[in-house]
Amino acid sequence: MLHDRILLEPSAEAGERKSSAGIVIPATASMGRRLVWGQVVAAGPHVRQANLGDTVLYDPEELAEVELEGSAYVLLRERDVHAISEPAEQSSSGMYL
């Protein structure tokens, strides 16, 4: 990976999805700007915020798709990442206080 580039494995929600009523919405359906999540599998040396294994939010319209060894990946710049998710904290007691 070069410079500030990030290689992502797109999540399953990037394709078809279901509504809360159970209706299947195809990936080609026209909607407003819908952002999707992906997992970082490689990052260039100048990437500051995203680390390997992070889940990031990006716009699927601003991407370059690449196929490596039969798997589809997304290549984008770090500045095109909208958010990075944090892992959920788990308490040992299992109680919410």
Side-chain angles (χ1 to χ4, degrees):
M1 299 298 301
L2 296 175
H3 308 294
D4 65 341
R5 301 302 195 268
I6 298 174
L7 189 68
L8 301 174
E9 183 175 8
S11 67
E13 75 176 36
E16 289 184 350
R17 56 192 185 280
K18 284 189 176 183
S19 69
S20 58
I23 299 171
V24 175
I25 302 169
T28 57
S30 176
M31 291 184 64
R33 259 178 103 170
R34 180 174 172 87
L35 303 177
V36 294
W37 293 97
Q39 186 173 15
V40 177
V41 294
H46 298 292
V47 174
R48 297 183 188 137
Q49 301 294 323
N51 297 315
L52 296 180
D54 283 350
T55 303
V56 299
L57 187 66
Y58 66 96
D59 186 358
E61 299 297 323
E62 302 172 1
L63 59 85
E65 292 183 0
V66 64
E67 187 173 329
L68 300 172
E69 297 178 5
S71 298
Y73 294 98
V74 173
L75 181 66
L76 57 118
R77 293 180 178 204
E78 183 181 26
R79 69 179 182 198
D80 294 331
V81 171
H82 293 273
I84 299 174
S85 71
E86 291 184 2
E89 293 183 21
Q90 296 180 1
S91 64
S92 60
S93 66
M95 297 179 62
Y96 298 99
L97 301 175

